Amino acid sequence: MTVRFPSNIDIKKGFQVQLYESREDIRKAKIVRGRSINLALSHRGREALKHIGMEEKIVSKGIPMKARMIHSLSGKRSPIPYGKKDQYILSVDRANLNKELLTGREKYSTTAITCISFQVILPGGEEVQVNADFVVGCDGAFSVVRRQFLRQSRFNYSQTYIPHGYMELTMPPLDGQFALAPNFLHIWPRNTFMMIALPNLDKTFTCTLFMPFDEFDKITTGEQVLDLFQTYFPDAVPLIGADALKRDYFRLPAQAMVSVKCSPYHIGDSCVLMGDAAHAMVPFYGQGMNAGFEDCLVFDELMDQLNDDFGAVLPEFSRVRVPDAQAIVDLAMYNYIEMRAHVNSRWFRFRKHLDNFLHFLMPTTMIPLYTMVTFTRTRYHEALKRWHWQNKVGIRLHFHYNIIAPIGHVLMKQLYYK
Amino acid sequence: MTVRFPSNIDIKKGFQVQLYESREDIRKAKIVRGRSINLALSHRGREALKHIGMEEKIVSKGIPMKARMIHSLSGKRSPIPYGKKDQYILSVDRANLNKELLTGREKYSTTAITCISFQVILPGGEEVQVNADFVVGCDGAFSVVRRQFLRQSRFNYSQTYIPHGYMELTMPPLDGQFALAPNFLHIWPRNTFMMIALPNLDKTFTCTLFMPFDEFDKITTGEQVLDLFQTYFPDAVPLIGADALKRDYFRLPAQAMVSVKCSPYHIGDSCVLMGDAAHAMVPFYGQGMNAGFEDCLVFDELMDQLNDDFGAVLPEFSRVRVPDAQAIVDLAMYNYIEMRAHVNSRWFRFRKHLDNFLHFLMPTTMIPLYTMVTFTRTRYHEALKRWHWQNKVGIRLHFHYNIIAPIGHVLMKQLYYK
């Protein structure tokens, strides 16, 4: 299954780049197993794509999601906007994105950023010894390149698995149309359990069930699957279909989710980690791909600033990028709780509306954390710091708004969301 | 340098045990480089040694340390007792301890605990494939056995290096006697820097300098070494000797210190990690060896309780031992700050005396954390939890004692310490 992509490409900055990839060429492969189908693309990822002239190609195949749509147990649906009216995140198809990037890479192979960032070492048994002046390890959460870092002295590393696993199920179109409103990220928050659904171009939704492995293990029959869904996600049962549920649940085992932090990202002037290899995160902030793409942008910016001197660029990349990546890894973990549990509470929903409203009133002073992370390139660790500061200020406003909450809530909705 | 110790020993519980060790037999080796010379032995370690009938052999070669002796910049020395008058920790020689255990192992090879806990896989290039029903990885902070765990799904792991390194220097005897009072652990706390000194049987002290690597890197000449010591540890300069300082400082580079947490400690019913392989810690609580020895004791207790059924013992060992080890790893990291900085403050010293005094008044209610950790087998995580509770209660007493502090301080000293 080993594909070695065309080697010795001369690229813009004058480097010869070889790309190693252990998976089959996705443009030729039939099935891609065990990886999530959808990815959430937002500002940081788009900026990186724009930099290599590929933003429109990807965005045109994405489906805008302008709000979360919360499904209560009783079937009530409440939207919580992601930001302002014109702000949205995009549901993009992983397979299509990979295909476009591989094809784009051939077309735009004169641009450093695509090529450097895709260099990968073959994992596992099919290891290949490669002599290179410089290695970029973008080989994912289970990075083989990173294993070499672990042998270096004073490399800080942590990998943390959460007790939840995930499983994907498909919700087919209904009478040729999307079975749910398409421009939303649908969420069924049930405290310990959670399901989400993201729209696809073919008018299906990919539903992802998040559940503790303990619970996954308990379910061994189709009837138990149906029970689970009828108890916790009753409105989804007719849309996915009882038979499909009973069948598809057992197609693949639940997948684990890991959070990885490490430091530094480089060894000397010869090796650097990027993307999930440097900072795998749980998927609950929709920033995994965006953070990885932004790595390339940050790296490219440093290359320009420091005259392509790897000896200067690499330590600076670690110095700048480690605190940012660790901030988003932590935020994703925080959202792991928030999305399942807090999102259920009226207070949480009120806070989200309040945050958006304060932002509307004071657009440069009070910026919601989600907005900074998703719709700007504010450095992640600065967004987090600023959020803590805003929360302090917010507490002073809290008393005021808590008292006028019932009126305020209605008022805000009318004033702000058209 | 590979020694394979006598194999196929029949031991008490009926297991055949093979021991693998990559280092030369310490009883024959000339120099052991790059590992600390002294170890602090306290209650937990002693209980494990007692269990295999070796306590007296080791304790008789140890030097009791009944208090910390704080050296101020001006040369003032203030003792802070570790516990009650009759409580002390022991400074033991690593080389001698290893020798005794190896010899003891041959003599007491009918006891399961020594043999199981010493089984080691050869690290690095000299890897040996061994077929075994059961592997115990006690192969230290850079465990090769643990590397296999990293390939398993859902293994949580972290390794954290602290910015400090350490370097050992010898303080020779003065006129045939100890150059400092022998029954103390001497500490020169200087906030970012710290030096400690532990007594040896040959009337020398092993001085250990802890300093950020950045600072170690700055010092390149003997004069700079002397400058450093005359600025921060002036009373130690004549005792170590200016010439020895200038020479010995450059013998070995500063050594790194790593903190390791992981979970679980076992794979199936066939492999378990113990000691530093499971929970390497920074050396500032003097519990590294004690926690490792206690692992054996806990494992042996579970073997008895669960009828030597590895399938039951291993998950239980992880369940019981992970939270305890993580608590002591955290406490050691906390002491990394406390020993350098807090120990300087009058408030800290007052708190230590107050803790001991309250323990004297209410021996079963108010037990100092250090006492629980060092002089009891209270589970580490329970000691930590209890400490938090005592601190809450303590805050209520705080106001009272803070007001009568000047009187109280003198009073306590007179009442309590002889």
Side-chain angles (χ1 to χ4, degrees), chain A residues 42 87 109 131 166 169 196 209 225 236 240 244 304 342 396 416:
Chain A
S42 54
Q87 289 177 321
S109 61
N131 290 322
Y166 74 89
L169 300 161
I196 64 171
L209 171 65
V225 178
I240 301 176
D304 285 344
H342 300 174
R396 281 179 236 153
Y416 175 61

Side-chain angles (χ1 to χ4, degrees), chain A residues 369-397:
Chain A
L369 177 61
Y370 193 89
T371 298
M372 287 189 277
V373 167
T374 310
F375 302 120
T376 77
R377 277 201 61 206
T378 307
R379 290 183 58 187
Y380 287 124
H381 91 275
E382 273 167 17
L384 191 58
K385 208 161 72 180
R386 185 161 178 163
W387 181 51
H388 288 310
W389 174 81
Q390 287 178 182
N391 276 346
K392 268 190 212 160
V393 179
I395 282 162
R396 281 179 236 153
L397 296 168

